[in-house]
């Protein structure tokens, strides 16, 4: 089990430099009001990843530093998390530290390795349970009481709650989509009509991929057919000659003559032979080009009817590209996407039917899971209430009875509710139950919400009883109680101390208290006291033993360290605590 052994606090509030040595059992932190006891709680909060307030830094200091040494065993959650973060554990000890600068910057270290502050917060969930006045006030809220009951119930509620939460999220998504489909029905119908019209326009033209580019080239060719034919004929004559003018010169004849003149002497010089070969290649090329020009001229069609047909087709394609895409390829892509979207829109009625059926099925599933949650909470509430009632008997409230009221609110109509116990009730992400903790402080009293039915002292004891029950059902290695004994005195205070001592048999318990009846039961009592200049130094947090502890308990009892009556009472308290232990 992980145990917080020691904390060193520097430049935090009134504390200049002090070491807090904690017992593995029950440690009580005492001292006069304003001496700095709450700085122990604040320091632990910083080690647990709490919010860093630069106002906590001692005046004149650059930063406040809190270091904690935690003994861990192999396999402990703290050890595993530290190893994941790259930290080191030396001789079974894990060092955790937090630094807060006066400018507000915060740094955290775990096992010598710098880590995000969030890592310390994650570690805290498995290391320390903090119970203080803020937590006590939080437990007065019904929502927190339901969460507390669910945590106590464990797997009995966790299983159906997980399934319920998943079904609830899906139902919200289904309802949202249904609302969108029904409220936007007119807009979607208009969109479908526009898509349908456009797709019909495209289908009527039946464009082919790249057709617009091909027709543009053909139109250009047909529009200049005469000029193209004349140019091809002139070029052919220049290359191959005119049959009607045998005396005329042409490129083919001239190149052929040049080749013949070189062929006669090519055997005498390889260089000249190479040139002759190149002239031969030119002659072949000229003949090929001349042949293609003749074929081009023969195939060139100057048909004005074909030109008119091409222009008409191009106009039809242009009408499409003006509306649906920059070219025919884009138009075809739009048509493909539009057809898919139209299929989706035309399937809205079917989709609405499917979603409606799924919504009804999910509501039925939530009804069944909600009933399971109610049943599981009711069963756990009986156990929880019995355990807290038993604890109250140990805290000088033997006649008090704690119970839970688990209620549901009627839904205004069936559409907004789920069926629980044959009634349509309102529901939310955690079920349909409204949970409230009730207290009957004495026989004959009507159970009332604890915020209204308990006095200050009774409320503190009820909260302590609740926290102790939690400690048994959801154990962590260390419990910190910050003056949860407020408003308690006399015999009840003795019982609080006795109960905390019992809890310390199975866990480490640290209590910041002003009650001597509580402090007397501690295995170790720490005294926090200021020096003359108003600061708490290294010698300002001391472990009290023997006569020193009797003197502090006397001060806490009577405000006088040397009162014989107070001393006798202090010694009696210590003797009672030792006997009970």
């Amino acid at each position: 089990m992980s145990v917080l052994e020691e904390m060193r606090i520097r430049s935090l509030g009134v504390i200049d430099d002090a070491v807090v040595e904690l017992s593995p059992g029950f440690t009580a932190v005492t001292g006069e009001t304003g001496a700095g006891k709450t700085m122990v709680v604040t320091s632990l909060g910083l080690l647990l990843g709490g919010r860093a307030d630069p106002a906590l830094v001692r005046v004149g200091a650059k930063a406040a530093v809190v270091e904690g040494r935690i003994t861990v065993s192999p396999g402990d959650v703290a050890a595993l998390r530290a190893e994941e973060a790259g930290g080191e554990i030396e001789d079974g000890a894990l060092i955790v530290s937090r630094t807060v600068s006066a400018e507000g910057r915060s740094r955290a270290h775990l096992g010598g390795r710098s880590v995000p502050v969030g890592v310390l917060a994650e570690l805290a969930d498995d290391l320390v349970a903090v119970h203080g006045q803020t937590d006590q006030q939080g437990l007065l809220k019904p929502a927190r009481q339901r969460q507390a009951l669910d945590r106590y119930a464990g797997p009995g509620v966790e299983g159906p709650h997980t399934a319920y939460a998943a079904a609830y999220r899906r139902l919200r998504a289904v309802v949202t989509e249904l609302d969108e489909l029904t409220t936007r029905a007119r807009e979607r119908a208009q969109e479908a009509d526009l898509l349908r019209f456009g797709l019909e326009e495209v289908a009527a033209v039946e464009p082919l991929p790249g057709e617009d580019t091909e027709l543009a080239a053909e139109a250009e060719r047909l529009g200049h057919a005469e000029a193209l034919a004349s140019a091809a004929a002139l070029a052919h004559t220049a290359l191959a000659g005119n049959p009607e003018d045998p005396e005329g010169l042409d490129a083919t004849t001239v190149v052929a003559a040049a080749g013949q003149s070189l062929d006669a002497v090519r055997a005498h010089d390889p260089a000249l032979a190479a040139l002759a070969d190149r002239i031969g290649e030119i002659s072949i090329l000229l003949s090929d080009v001349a042949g293609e020009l003749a074929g081009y001229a023969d195939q060139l069609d100057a048909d004005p009817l074909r030109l008119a047909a091409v222009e008409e087709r191009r106009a039809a394609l242009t009408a499409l590209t003006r509306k649906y895409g920059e070219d025919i390829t884009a138009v075809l892509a739009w048509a493909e996407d539009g057809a898919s979207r139209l299929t989706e829109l035309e399937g809205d009625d079917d989709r609405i039917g499917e979603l409606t059926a799924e919504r009804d099925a999910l509501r039925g599933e939530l009804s069944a899971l909600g009933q399971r949650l109610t049943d599981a909470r009711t069963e756990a509430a009986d156990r929880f209430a019995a355990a807290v009632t038993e604890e109250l008997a140990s805290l000088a409230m033997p006649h008090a009875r704690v119970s839970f009221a688990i209620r549901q609110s009627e839904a205004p109509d069936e559409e907004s509710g789920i069926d629980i116990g044959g009634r349509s009730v309102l529901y939310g992400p955690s079920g349909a139950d409204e949970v409230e903790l009730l207290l009957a402080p004495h026989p004959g009293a009507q159970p009332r919400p604890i915020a209204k039915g308990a006095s200050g002292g009774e409320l503190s004891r009820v909260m302590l009883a609740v926290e102790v029950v939690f400690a048994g059902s959801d154990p962590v290695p260390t419990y910190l109680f910050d003056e949860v004994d407020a408003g308690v005195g006399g015999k009840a205070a003795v019982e609080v101390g006795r109960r905390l001592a019992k809890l310390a048999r199975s866990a480490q318990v640290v209590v910041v208290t002003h009650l001597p009846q509580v402090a007397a039961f501690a295995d170790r009592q720490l005294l926090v006291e200021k020096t003359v200049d108003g600061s708490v130094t290294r010698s300002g947090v001391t472990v009290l033993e023997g006569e020193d502890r009797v003197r502090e308990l006397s001060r806490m009892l009577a405000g006088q360290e040397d009162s014989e009556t107070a001393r006798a009472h202090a010694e009696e308290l210590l003797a009672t605590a030792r006997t009970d232990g």
Side-chain angles (χ1 to χ4, degrees):
M1 182 180 74
S2 302
V3 174
L4 180 62
E5 281 191 339
E6 179 181 282
M7 283 196 305
R8 183 177 183 185
I9 309 168
R10 286 177 287 174
S11 302
L12 184 70
V14 299
I15 298 180
D16 179 24
D17 188 349
V19 175
V20 179
E21 299 178 359
L22 303 173
S23 164
F26 181 3
T27 300
V29 181
T30 64
E32 293 185 359
T33 301
K37 300 189 301 297
T38 57
M39 285 298 104
V40 174
V41 180
T42 302
S43 300
L44 187 55
L46 288 173
L47 284 183
L48 301 180
R51 187 177 68 88
D53 185 355
L56 295 172
V57 179
R58 183 170 172 76
V59 177
K62 294 182 178 180
V65 181
V66 181
E67 293 179 337
R69 186 173 74 243
I70 302 171
T71 58
V72 295
S73 303
D76 282 355
V77 173
L80 295 175
R81 190 67 186 91
E83 291 170 357
E84 289 174 4
E88 296 182 358
I89 298 173
E90 297 183 2
D91 299 327
L94 174 63
I95 305 300
V96 183
S97 69
R98 182 83 180 275
T99 303
V100 181
S101 72
E103 291 79 21
R105 293 188 300 272
S106 172
R107 297 196 308 273
H109 289 81
L110 181 64
R113 178 64 61 91
S114 178
V115 296
V117 173
V119 173
L120 299 188
E122 293 173 10
L123 197 67
D125 290 340
D126 298 298
L127 277 180
V128 180
V130 179
H131 298 296
Q133 294 296 312
T134 300
D135 306 275
Q136 178 170 302
Q137 294 301 317
L139 278 172
L140 297 180
K141 300 176 182 178
R144 285 287 299 276
Q145 291 172 13
R146 180 191 54 72
Q147 295 170 4
L149 177 59
D150 287 355
R151 199 176 92 201
Y152 175 82
V157 164
E158 184 179 1
H161 188 279
T162 300
Y164 177 96
Y168 180 84
R169 289 192 298 270
R170 177 56 189 161
L171 178 60
R172 293 297 92 201
V174 167
V175 169
T176 298
E177 187 175 352
L178 262 176
D179 288 345
E180 180 184 356
L181 288 175
T182 53
T183 58
R184 294 185 53 204
R186 178 177 300 175
E187 291 87 344
R188 295 169 77 90
Q190 291 173 347
E191 183 184 355
D193 286 343
L194 289 173
L195 282 174
R196 197 175 292 110
F197 177 81
L199 291 172
E200 289 172 355
E201 273 196 314
V202 174
V205 176
E206 295 182 338
L208 299 174
E211 184 182 3
D212 50 343
T213 302
E214 295 175 2
L215 288 177
E218 184 178 0
E220 185 72 15
R221 190 166 59 251
L222 290 171
H224 299 82
E226 292 183 3
L228 292 172
S230 175
L234 288 173
H236 180 268
T237 299
L239 293 179
N242 187 349
E244 297 178 0
D245 184 13
E247 299 299 326
L249 289 178
D250 59 80
T252 301
T253 302
V254 172
V255 172
Q260 291 172 0
S261 64
L262 293 181
D263 283 341
V265 295
R266 63 182 296 156
H268 303 301
D269 186 352
L272 193 63
L275 293 173
D277 290 340
R278 291 171 65 186
I279 289 176
E281 294 171 359
I282 293 172
S283 180
I284 294 171
L285 182 60
L286 286 174
S287 296
D288 290 342
V289 173
E292 291 182 16
L293 284 170
Y296 175 82
D298 291 340
Q299 294 175 1
L300 193 62
D301 186 6
D303 184 2
L305 294 178
R306 173 58 185 166
L307 177 59
V310 168
E311 292 296 351
E312 183 179 355
R313 179 66 176 172
R314 290 187 67 201
L317 296 177
T318 300
L320 296 181
T321 57
R322 191 165 48 244
K323 294 181 180 180
Y324 308 116
E326 61 183 13
D327 54 30
I328 290 302
T329 299
V331 169
L332 291 172
W334 175 88
E336 182 178 355
D337 293 341
S340 175
R341 174 61 174 164
L342 182 59
T343 299
E344 178 185 335
L345 292 172
E346 290 177 337
D348 276 358
D349 289 342
D350 293 338
R351 181 60 177 158
I352 288 174
E354 293 172 359
L355 290 172
T356 301
E358 185 178 3
R359 180 199 62 190
D360 294 342
L362 285 168
R363 283 163 54 83
E365 183 180 351
L366 284 179
S367 294
L369 290 169
Q371 186 66 63
R372 285 181 58 192
L373 273 175
T374 298
D375 294 343
R377 283 172 177 152
T378 301
E379 186 276 332
D382 292 339
R383 289 189 289 111
F384 193 4
V388 173
T389 298
E390 183 178 348
E391 288 297 328
L392 288 177
S394 300
L395 294 172
M397 293 179 67
H399 303 297
R401 293 292 179 268
V402 167
S403 60
F404 275 96
I406 300 179
R407 299 180 290 264
Q408 299 83 32
S409 296
E410 296 285 343
D413 52 67
E414 291 187 3
E415 289 297 318
S416 58
I418 59 174
D419 185 88
I420 300 291
R423 298 183 301 137
S424 180
V425 299
L426 295 175
Y427 64 102
S430 295
D433 302 320
E434 300 168 10
V435 176
E436 193 164 31
L437 187 60
L438 307 177
L439 172 68
H442 53 80
Q446 288 296 319
R448 300 182 63 194
I450 55 174
K452 301 176 181 178
S455 64
E458 289 172 338
L459 182 59
S460 292
R461 279 177 280 173
V462 171
M463 290 297 100
L464 179 57
V466 169
E467 290 157 349
V468 170
V469 169
F470 274 144
S473 63
D474 187 20
V476 292
T478 300
Y479 294 89
L480 173 64
F481 294 93
D482 180 17
E483 296 196 17
V484 293
D485 50 15
V488 176
K491 182 180 178 181
V494 173
E495 297 302 331
V496 169
R498 182 177 286 117
R499 195 65 192 88
L500 289 170
K502 182 179 178 182
L503 177 60
R505 295 172 190 169
S506 58
Q508 182 182 34
V509 176
V510 181
V511 178
V512 178
T513 183
H514 65 282
L515 292 180
Q517 296 94 331
V518 172
F521 281 87
D523 299 309
R524 174 175 295 173
Q525 183 173 347
L526 299 179
L527 173 63
V528 180
E529 55 185 348
K530 294 180 182 179
T531 58
V532 176
D533 65 358
S535 67
V536 177
T537 63
R538 180 179 292 272
S539 60
V541 181
T542 55
V543 178
L544 299 179
E545 296 179 348
E547 181 62 26
D548 291 334
R549 188 171 186 186
V550 172
R551 184 181 297 110
E552 170 62 8
L553 289 175
S554 299
R555 181 198 65 76
M556 296 172 71
L557 282 163
Q560 301 175 9
E561 298 178 357
D562 300 323
S563 166
E564 290 300 325
T565 302
R567 286 179 58 83
H569 191 183
E571 291 172 349
E572 181 182 356
L573 277 176
L574 287 172
T576 299
R578 282 194 292 268
T579 301
D580 288 356

